[in-house]
Amino acid sequence: MISLPRWSWAIAALLVVVVNCVPTEQQRLLLANLNAVHSFENPRNNERPLHGRFLHITDLHPDPFYKYHSSTGKGDACHRGKGPAGVLGAETSDCDTPLSLINATFKWIDDNLKDTIDFVIWTGDSARHDNDENIPRTEKQVLNLNRMMVQKFLEVFGTKEDPTKDTIIPVIPTFGNNDILPHNILAAGPNKWTKMYANIWKDFIPEEQRHGFERGGWFYTEVIPDKLAVFSLNTLYLFDNNAGVNGCADKKEPGYEHMEWLRIQLQMLRKRGVKAIMMGHVPPARTESKYSWDETCWQKYTLWMHQYRDVVVGSIYGHMNFDHFMLQDSHDINIAVIKEGSQDTMRTAMDDKLTVQSSTEYLSELRSEWSHLPKPQLKPVPKAIRNADFHCGNVDMERIVNNKRKKEKKRRKGGNDNKENFFKKIGGPWGERYSLSLVSPSVVPNYFPALRVVEYNITGLDGSRADTVLELEPLAPADETHPDKDAESLSPDDIEFSKKHKGKKKKKKHKKHKRPKKPKFRIPNPPSASSPPGPAYSPQTLSFLGYIQYYANLTEINRDFTPEESTWSGLDDAIETKGWKGGKHHGKHPEDKDPEAPAEDFKYQIEYDTRNDTIYEMPDLTVRSYIDLAGRIGRYKPGKGPDVLSAFSITDNEEDREEVEDEIEEEVINEISYQDAAGSDTQSQKNIATTTITPNAKPNPYTKGENHKTKKKKSKKNKNKKKKKKKKNHHHHNRRVINQLWFTFVKRAFVGAIDDKELHDLFGQPRCKEGLSGGDTATTVAAATAGTSVLEKEGESDEEL
């Protein structure tokens, strides 16, 4: 009898499963060299050139039962019926990802990114949703879909037949809430899921950590040996919707063990001088009324990120499908919650799947919280005011800013006090009171498919000379720690801290040395007093510099509908019916055509690049940059600040126009120079826009060429200045103001897939008459990226807005 190797039977079984789970109605998943054995060589034994970039890909949700031109309605789920489901996906619907889109995405990565990145962060959800009662998910199906995705990663990033090509790129996976069955529910390990995924991800998990992974589903990989590690957090043990566990306070809970493992590993990395990136599926979302993590887990995580802020470079998550970020405030840490396991009764758990409506409420709550962020009394005049296209106004901002800047230089005396007060509020000049989590949009086309490439600083790691960014004291020995003011502020009097003994002489003074009682909870030591701020706070080696957000415009690629037909038919389709979103093409029926044609035109294009973005204006991705961005997004007061798009329906009433300028003029004092407040370079102060030009606008009476009558009105303004201040609360029926940054933020959150008109209905944003129309999605995305207003005014009254 002929004996066959054991692995041959496994390959044969996998082939049978693949054939059984892929229907004939759609393109099959392209698995090249399925019989080949792929593996990653240990990066410790190979010197790979660094590029300073990594890929974040999340929420693939491959669906082998997807049928193009099927119905996107609830119950059909792009599996049956006739409707607008495109060959490469049904954008803006709740249908999952066709295998044709999976193939096209990995081919594009292979052609465009593979040789320019150092590692891949893959944040889970690599199986389809359980959204069709007629085709229920099975354990075998969930596992085999994950095996398919592993194979795709290995084809692109694994070892090839040609050993001379250096294409060995680490891939770091993590559990998604749909990678198990039933979804969301993962009991304490070791269990069958942790054991099976230890085998499925054997090429990605370091051998010495596989036993630990089987126990808890967590691990880390040193993507740059002895320099940078990526931690794969098992957020299912932190996820409040996981009914199989109960938070992170009880020692018997896997969440408690997970947090202890993370604390110990971060402490070891601190001693070694190694930095870390956190990654996971479910982000630590938390607003005034909602949260995604169990409160005890959120509290510990935020405490850990604060105490190990010298180690953590950044945190990256998926799950929520839309593009945004969140700040964790260390002032929200409550030691009593961590110790006693008490829950936050003020908030409720987020829905498992966010709808457009719930996403809108969530983003609005984020903005509300950001409006209360500390801000300096003196703020910058960002490029938003210098480059913004004031489509509906003709206020001479150059004159206002320059005049007030001159007055401010004479008046301002307490600048240093203001600066120190602001620094105190944000945790020092680097904003160390906060930690940051970035959430990327998904491949599954709930909006548009998306990928993100993050650029990080490799100065000194690529053989080049490391630049000295800060003039600080030398780094203290790794084991030198001390309790600082941060730790004291986080703890009540009955909490014991870790303290270093000060020598034998002190011990001799105590004749009877009593062994201290073991504390119930011990706060980790903060960074050493002489340690410089970590790479998440101060630009240095390994700091995140920026990212490029890519998206695939499926409306253009599928070519099933014209741009006029691609607009939303109304919020009845945008907002879900009983938790299901049919998408903007719901109810339409495209003509039959060659299903292979769209794949030929498939591509990911740049939505925006933070390194040269004229809207976000972020010099880097440090926490301080995001504090500034969040603060600008959160500004609510109309007509007060450069990031507010002043939308005036200018009338012939000169007094109204003058009063508007007076209000802006007063606020310019508080908007001058973030750099002044921080003691930074003042070069950006000199780059103020000269004019704001409005198509078809009335002549500006405050610019050159003003007539004699206008000059008289200007003199009246000076004479009645005190009188006008008394009219400060006068209501302007013709005045409308919009925070352009907020509008851009929410548009990018949904990857440009929601039209401006629908964003107006969802977020209540006014639109200016001379702006761009909301129908052309590609144009509006590009316009938002370039700093052009994409607002449109349709004549509604102030009351209607």
Side-chain angles (χ1 to χ4, degrees):
M1 182 175 178
I2 301 175
S3 61
L4 296 175
R6 293 183 179 179
W7 60 265
S8 63
W9 293 106
I11 294 297
L14 178 59
L15 283 170
V16 172
V17 172
V18 170
V19 172
N20 289 338
C21 71
V22 180
T24 58
E25 288 83 354
Q26 69 153 332
Q27 175 186 349
R28 295 191 182 192
L29 187 69
L30 301 179
L31 295 176
N33 300 322
L34 185 61
N35 293 325
V37 178
H38 293 284
S39 63
F40 283 103
E41 296 183 29
N42 189 338
R44 289 178 180 272
N45 301 326
N46 296 272
E47 293 185 1
R48 297 178 290 110
L50 293 175
H51 303 282
R53 289 161 35 114
F54 66 85
L55 170 65
H56 181 206
I57 184 169
T58 189
D59 293 81
L60 291 154
H61 288 294
D63 185 358
F65 304 101
Y66 182 101
K67 292 176 60 177
Y68 66 88
H69 289 181
S70 61
S71 171
T72 60
K74 181 175 176 61
D76 294 326
C78 294
H79 293 163
R80 64 186 67 85
K82 292 186 178 181
V87 174
L88 289 167
E91 72 274 22
T92 70
S93 78
D94 277 345
C95 292
D96 282 329
T97 309
L99 301 189
S100 56
L101 177 56
I102 296 293
N103 288 328
T105 295
F106 277 92
K107 183 179 185 304
W108 188 88
I109 293 172
D110 196 1
D111 293 341
N112 296 275
L113 298 180
K114 177 185 65 176
D115 297 326
T116 64
I117 58 178
D118 301 326
F119 53 93
V120 178
I121 287 178
W122 169 24
T123 49
D125 263 10
S126 300
R128 73 179 185 91
H129 290 98
D130 198 4
N131 54 15
D132 189 344
E133 294 180 355
N134 296 330
I135 313 176
R137 298 199 316 165
T138 65
E139 178 182 307
K140 182 182 294 184
Q141 182 188 112
V142 170
L143 294 173
N144 284 322
L145 287 173
N146 270 274
R147 290 188 180 101
M148 289 180 182
M149 295 304 97
V150 167
Q151 187 66 22
K152 295 301 292 184
F153 278 107
L154 290 175
E155 288 173 10
V156 177
F157 300 111
T159 306
K160 302 296 184 180
E161 290 76 12
D162 184 0
T164 62
K165 294 181 65 177
D166 187 10
T167 56
I168 305 169
I169 299 177
V171 176
I172 305 93
T174 193
F175 278 112
N177 62 308
N178 287 286
D179 293 328
I180 54 178
L181 198 70
H183 80 293
N184 294 343
I185 310 300
L186 182 66
N191 57 51
K192 65 178 181 180
W193 292 103
T194 58
K195 292 179 180 179
M196 288 186 290
Y197 276 100
N199 181 58
I200 293 173
W201 293 338
K202 63 182 182 298
D203 293 301
F204 308 140
I205 302 172
E207 185 175 357
E208 65 274 12
Q209 295 192 56
R210 289 177 189 170
H211 177 75
F213 180 86
E214 289 185 3
R215 179 172 178 82
W218 51 70
F219 72 98
Y220 72 88
T221 298
E222 291 193 24
V223 293
I224 304 178
D226 301 318
K227 298 294 182 182
L228 178 64
V230 176
F231 279 72
S232 177
L233 304 180
N234 185 357
T235 56
L236 298 189
Y237 286 151
L238 318 177
F239 192 26
D240 190 76
N241 287 338
N242 183 0
V245 297
N246 187 25
C248 299
D250 192 334
K251 292 183 179 181
K252 297 179 181 179
E253 291 295 328
Y256 179 94
E257 184 178 348
H258 194 358
M259 286 292 102
E260 284 301 292
W261 171 84
L262 179 60
R263 178 185 62 81
I264 293 170
Q265 301 306 319
L266 291 176
Q267 182 64 31
M268 292 175 62
L269 292 190
R270 173 184 280 169
K271 291 182 178 181
R272 294 175 54 201
V274 179
K275 306 304 180 183
I277 295 174
M278 302 293 111
M279 61 158 280
H281 181 65
V282 182
R286 186 175 183 266
T287 64
E288 183 179 2
S289 65
K290 299 287 185 180
Y291 61 84
S292 59
W293 284 15
D294 178 273
E295 181 67 11
T296 60
C297 299
W298 186 92
Q299 291 281 341
K300 274 194 176 181
Y301 176 81
T302 303
L303 177 58
W304 274 211
M305 294 302 100
H306 182 68
Q307 299 300 88
Y308 293 104
R309 58 190 181 273
D310 57 325
V311 178
V312 178
V313 178
S315 301
I316 295 176
Y317 296 92
H319 178 65
M320 300 182 77
N321 297 331
F322 54 88
D323 179 358
H324 67 295
F325 65 93
M326 55 193 71
L327 295 169
Q328 289 82 47
D329 187 351
S330 64
H331 285 193
D332 289 341
I333 296 172
N334 187 335
I335 299 300
V337 173
I338 300 176
K339 287 179 60 180
E340 302 168 9
S342 57
Q343 293 295 321
D344 187 350
T345 58
M346 301 296 294
R347 299 176 176 85
T348 57
M350 287 184 174
D351 296 333
D352 177 33
K353 188 172 184 180
L354 288 172
T355 64
V356 170
Q357 186 63 40
S358 59
S359 300
T360 300
E361 295 171 356
Y362 166 75
L363 291 173
S364 297
E365 285 193 5
L366 277 183
R367 187 193 183 198
S368 177
E369 291 185 358
W370 293 343
S371 69
H372 299 294
L373 285 172
K375 46 183 171 287
Q377 187 172 348
L378 303 174
K379 295 280 291 179
V381 182
K383 291 181 183 177
I385 189 174
R386 306 195 288 269
N387 299 336
D389 189 357
F390 287 71
H391 282 291
C392 310
N394 55 358
V395 176
D396 186 359
M397 294 303 299
E398 180 190 22
R399 184 184 62 82
I400 294 174
V401 172
N402 286 339
N403 288 345
K404 280 300 173 183
R405 197 180 294 282
K406 292 177 182 178
K407 295 178 182 179
E408 181 61 18
K409 287 181 179 180
K410 296 179 180 179
R411 184 193 68 82
R412 191 177 70 216
K413 294 182 179 180
N416 291 333
D417 293 337
N418 295 331
K419 178 177 64 175
E420 291 176 2
N421 185 49
F422 170 64
F423 287 164
K424 183 177 180 180
K425 289 181 179 180
I426 66 172
W430 311 105
E432 293 177 287
R433 166 180 167 181
Y434 300 91
S435 57
L436 171 70
S437 297
L438 302 178
V439 183
S440 297
S442 56
V443 171
V444 63
N446 291 157
Y447 302 106
F448 280 144
L451 302 170
R452 177 173 292 181
V453 174
V454 180
E455 184 174 354
Y456 67 101
N457 192 341
I458 58 173
T459 303
L461 301 178
D462 57 352
S464 60
R465 180 177 177 271
D467 296 328
T468 301
V469 179
L470 303 171
E471 294 294 336
L472 296 173
E473 298 178 15
L475 185 63
D479 59 348
E480 180 180 332
T481 57
H482 72 97
D484 66 353
K485 294 180 180 180
D486 291 323
E488 293 172 2
S489 66
L490 294 172
S491 60
D493 295 335
D494 60 338
I495 298 297
E496 291 189 37
F497 292 91
S498 298
K499 294 184 177 180
K500 188 178 179 182
H501 293 295
K502 296 186 177 181
K504 296 181 180 181
K505 291 183 179 180
K506 187 174 182 179
K507 289 182 179 180
K508 290 181 180 179
K509 294 180 181 180
H510 301 280
K511 296 180 179 180
K512 295 182 180 180
H513 179 71
K514 295 182 179 180
R515 186 176 181 180
K517 295 181 180 179
K518 185 177 180 181
K520 293 182 179 180
F521 176 72
R522 176 168 293 187
I523 295 178
N525 287 325
S528 169
S530 58
S531 296
Y537 298 91
S538 167
Q540 57 190 268
T541 301
L542 298 177
S543 293
F544 291 171
L545 301 175
Y547 64 79
I548 300 175
Q549 188 59 56
Y550 291 96
Y551 80 111
N553 191 325
L554 292 188
T555 303
E556 293 181 350
I557 296 170
N558 282 326
R559 294 180 294 179
D560 286 325
F561 303 99
T562 63
E564 292 75 17
E565 297 173 324
S566 297
T567 56
W568 292 79
S569 58
L571 284 182
D572 290 339
D573 291 329
I575 299 177
E576 299 75 355
T577 302
K578 295 182 180 180
W580 180 265
K581 182 169 73 245
K584 64 181 180 180
H585 303 309
H586 180 59
K588 302 173 184 177
H589 299 282
E591 297 180 0
D592 293 332
K593 62 182 180 182
D594 180 11
E596 302 296 330
E600 299 176 359
D601 299 329
F602 181 84
K603 65 177 180 179
Y604 281 91
Q605 55 188 309
I606 296 177
E607 182 188 4
Y608 65 98
D609 183 348
T610 62
R611 298 300 301 274
N612 53 29
D613 183 22
T614 59
I615 301 295
Y616 281 3
E617 286 294 338
M618 300 179 68
D620 48 45
L621 302 186
T622 58
V623 172
R624 179 67 184 273
S625 293
Y626 272 100
I627 292 173
D628 176 60
L629 176 63
R632 289 186 283 128
I633 291 174
R635 289 176 188 159
Y636 277 91
K637 295 182 180 180
K640 292 187 176 182
D643 292 320
V644 175
L645 199 69
S646 300
F648 297 96
S649 299
I650 298 296
T651 67
D652 292 330
N653 189 327
E654 189 67 25
E655 290 185 359
D656 282 351
R657 183 187 292 114
E658 291 173 358
E659 186 177 340
V660 167
E661 287 204 1
D662 277 347
E663 292 186 9
I664 296 177
E665 222 172 313
E666 289 184 10
E667 185 62 19
V668 166
I669 294 177
N670 294 330
E671 300 298 340
I672 293 176
S673 195
Y674 200 73
Q675 289 80 10
D676 282 351
S680 303
D681 186 7
T682 58
Q683 179 63 32
S684 60
Q685 302 172 14
K686 303 176 183 179
N687 301 326
I688 301 173
T690 55
T691 55
T692 54
I693 302 174
T694 305
N696 303 321
K698 296 182 180 181
N700 189 341
Y702 300 139
T703 56
K704 291 183 179 180
E706 57 190 4
N707 54 34
H708 179 68
K709 187 176 180 179
T710 304
K711 291 181 180 180
K712 286 185 177 181
K713 290 184 177 181
K714 286 181 66 177
S715 63
K716 287 182 179 180
K717 173 186 174 181
N718 296 329
K719 292 179 181 180
N720 300 322
K721 190 171 184 180
K722 294 183 179 179
K723 186 176 180 180
K724 289 188 180 296
K725 286 185 178 179
K726 296 179 181 180
K727 296 172 63 179
K728 189 172 182 179
N729 295 327
H730 175 70
H731 178 68
H732 292 281
H733 293 282
N734 297 306
R735 176 182 175 185
R736 296 184 182 182
V737 180
I738 179 174
N739 185 317
Q740 184 192 26
L741 190 59
W742 165 241
F743 184 88
T744 302
F745 174 75
V746 296
K747 188 169 188 65
R748 290 175 176 178
F750 299 113
V751 202
I754 297 183
D755 301 323
D756 293 349
K757 183 178 183 300
E758 300 308 323
L759 285 177
H760 167 266
D761 293 332
L762 290 168
F763 293 95
Q765 299 288 11
R767 300 187 299 278
C768 306
K769 186 174 182 180
E770 292 81 9
L772 300 172
S773 64
D776 187 349
T777 303
T779 303
T780 53
V781 169
T785 304
T788 305
S789 173
V790 291
L791 313 176
E792 179 186 7
K793 172 184 167 187
E794 294 183 345
E796 300 93 334
S797 66
D798 289 341
E799 290 75 18
E800 291 173 337
L801 289 173

